[in-house]
Amino acid sequence: MLKNKSIVSIDDVSESDISEIFSVSDRMLNALEAGKKLEMLDGKIMATLFYEPSTRTRLSFESSMHRLGGSVVSVSDVKSSSVAKGETLADTIRMAESYSDVIVIRHPLEGAARLASKFSTKPVINAGDGSGQHPTQTLLDLYTMRKYFGKIDGLRIAMVGDLRYGRTVHSLLLALSNFDVEVTLISPQILKMPEHIRERLGKNIKVKSRENLDEKMDEFDVFYVTRIQKERFTDQNEYNSVIGLYSIDVSTVGKMKKNAIIMHPLPRVDEIKPEVDYLPNAAYFKQAYYGVPVRMALLSMILGA
Ligand code: NCD
């Protein structure tokens, strides 16, 4: 049951919540595609506080709230808010909770959403905390896999790129560890999946790791490609050593299984060439599209009657 609950980490969502989210998302998707007007969150207000850049997450959260008949208040640029005057996160959250029914926050510091949830009596949703987690992205990632393959169990998944700083892959790997899947972590040494995530994996998952993308590519059903998180590097030389390391073009896709899909939380920089967009394997735009029904499902389950 997600009613009135904060979603800070993917652990806040149980296996039965995930199946409920999937079925509510299916209903939301049908309503969206039928152009049906929904009013279930009429009178409810969502506050969005984004302390870091965002396109998809913020637009899809706001669009979802509007699609459910609710409304949105938002600090569009924290530099224009009282944060610029030195207001603490705690005080900003106290204000946001008194003006809204749910708070969606993105912040550059790991743990910021957890802290925000401690200062708020209203539910807080983590839309990305530094290199921590991005649980709602994970839900739409899982939903996308299920839409393409009918189920998640049995999938062989490659996670490619920046597994150290990428928050989407942290929450995704934790969530996948409750499914019967095989995950291969493909990254350079310096961008490996953190040990503190690997230590927390459930028992169903099989995990391997390697550095090279270009071998046995026909084993995978899903390639989950990520951007090198330039903004999180403290050492520019380290960043320079990994730029352009993995790049997927039409010839790379030729080495994959015919029905393999390529996912990416977006934004991409140069890790997937635009020529790939036209192939049936490119699932990343559809994945971003599913952000709306999945976030509609979440908001309706958290705030609904
Ligand atoms: C991701 C993020 O912010 O973590 N973007 C997103 O929310 N879809 C991925 C990224 O920035 O690379």
Side-chain angles (χ1 to χ4, degrees):
M1 280 294 287
L2 291 179
K3 191 155 173 54
N4 284 324
K5 268 189 68 179
S6 288
I7 301 180
V8 169
S9 127
I10 195 65
D11 303 326
D12 296 324
V13 186
S14 69
E15 279 176 62
S16 68
D17 291 332
I18 291 182
S19 25
E20 192 180 344
I21 291 167
F22 285 170
S23 49
V24 180
S25 302
D26 284 341
R27 293 207 297 275
M28 294 298 180
L29 187 62
N30 286 339
L32 276 177
E33 298 195 333
K36 218 160 112 193
K37 198 164 157 40
L38 301 173
E39 309 259 308
M40 56 188 81
L41 295 190
D42 183 26
K44 299 283 185 194
I45 298 178
M46 175 180 82
T48 52
L49 295 175
F50 277 65
Y51 291 76
E52 263 195 350
S54 170
T55 305
R56 274 150 296 274
T57 304
R58 180 176 177 152
L59 280 182
S60 65
F61 259 114
E62 297 190 353
S63 167
S64 303
M65 194 63 186
H66 288 299
R67 293 269 193 225
L68 292 167
S71 34
V72 180
V73 291
S74 177
V75 175
S76 57
D77 173 12
V78 283
K79 289 189 209 74
S80 68
S81 74
S82 289
V83 171
K85 300 181 187 168
E87 183 165 68
T88 61
L89 180 63
D91 284 0
T92 305
I93 294 297
R94 286 186 185 107
M95 293 306 106
E97 72 147 359
S98 61
Y99 303 148
S100 66
D101 303 294
V102 60
I103 300 171
V104 180
I105 180 169
R106 167 171 289 189
H107 197 282
L109 291 180
E110 197 170 331
R114 175 71 63 207
L115 189 70
S117 72
K118 302 240 188 293
F119 290 107
S120 174
T121 54
K122 307 275 173 65
V124 170
I125 304 179
N126 181 6
D129 62 325
S131 298
Q133 291 206 22
H134 195 345
T136 65
Q137 177 72 41
T138 293
L139 296 169
L140 74 96
D141 293 342
L142 296 174
Y143 185 71
T144 304
M145 292 180 198
R146 174 182 165 276
K147 284 295 268 185
Y148 274 88
F149 295 99
K151 60 184 174 70
I152 294 171
D153 283 324
L155 291 179
R156 298 177 90 180
I157 300 158
M159 287 187 187
V160 184
D162 187 346
L163 309 183
R164 177 181 178 189
Y165 297 119
R167 53 197 173 200
T168 68
V169 281
H170 298 165
S171 19
L172 182 58
L173 186 62
L174 287 168
L176 282 172
S177 78
N178 295 317
F179 292 88
D180 183 12
V181 293
E182 199 178 295
V183 177
T184 301
L185 304 170
I186 305 178
S187 73
Q189 273 301 322
I190 58 166
L191 297 181
K192 277 171 69 177
M193 181 64 70
E195 240 359 92
H196 69 90
I197 301 282
R198 295 197 58 156
E199 278 163 6
R200 289 168 51 203
L201 299 180
K203 56 184 179 342
N204 288 335
I205 193 169
K206 288 191 207 65
V207 182
K208 301 185 202 166
S209 36
R210 69 184 203 210
E211 284 187 47
N212 189 3
L213 169 65
D214 218 18
E215 63 187 55
K216 294 197 203 147
M217 291 183 73
D218 57 351
E219 282 187 354
F220 301 110
D221 304 295
V222 178
F223 287 81
Y224 190 97
V225 184
T226 61
R227 174 179 71 89
I228 307 282
Q229 308 281 298
K230 183 178 182 197
E231 66 277 30
R232 316 249 182 251
F233 283 73
T234 45
D235 177 347
Q236 185 64 33
N237 292 330
E238 236 182 30
Y239 173 67
N240 291 341
S241 72
V242 291
I243 308 177
L245 204 59
Y246 302 113
S247 173
I248 299 205
D249 58 17
V250 168
S251 78
T252 329
V253 180
K255 296 177 201 151
M256 297 177 182
K257 228 189 232 182
K258 196 170 171 298
N259 69 343
I261 63 166
I262 302 159
M263 296 177 63
H264 192 305
L266 302 176
R268 66 173 146 179
V269 184
D270 54 5
E271 55 280 357
I272 303 175
K273 297 284 173 258
E275 61 188 27
V276 175
D277 301 355
Y278 305 97
L279 301 177
N281 314 77
Y284 32 92
F285 295 129
K286 200 79 193 183
Q287 177 187 357
Y289 169 69
Y290 290 142
V292 173
V294 170
R295 292 186 167 112
M296 285 172 77
L298 266 181
L299 289 170
S300 71
M301 288 164 69
I302 294 173
L303 291 179

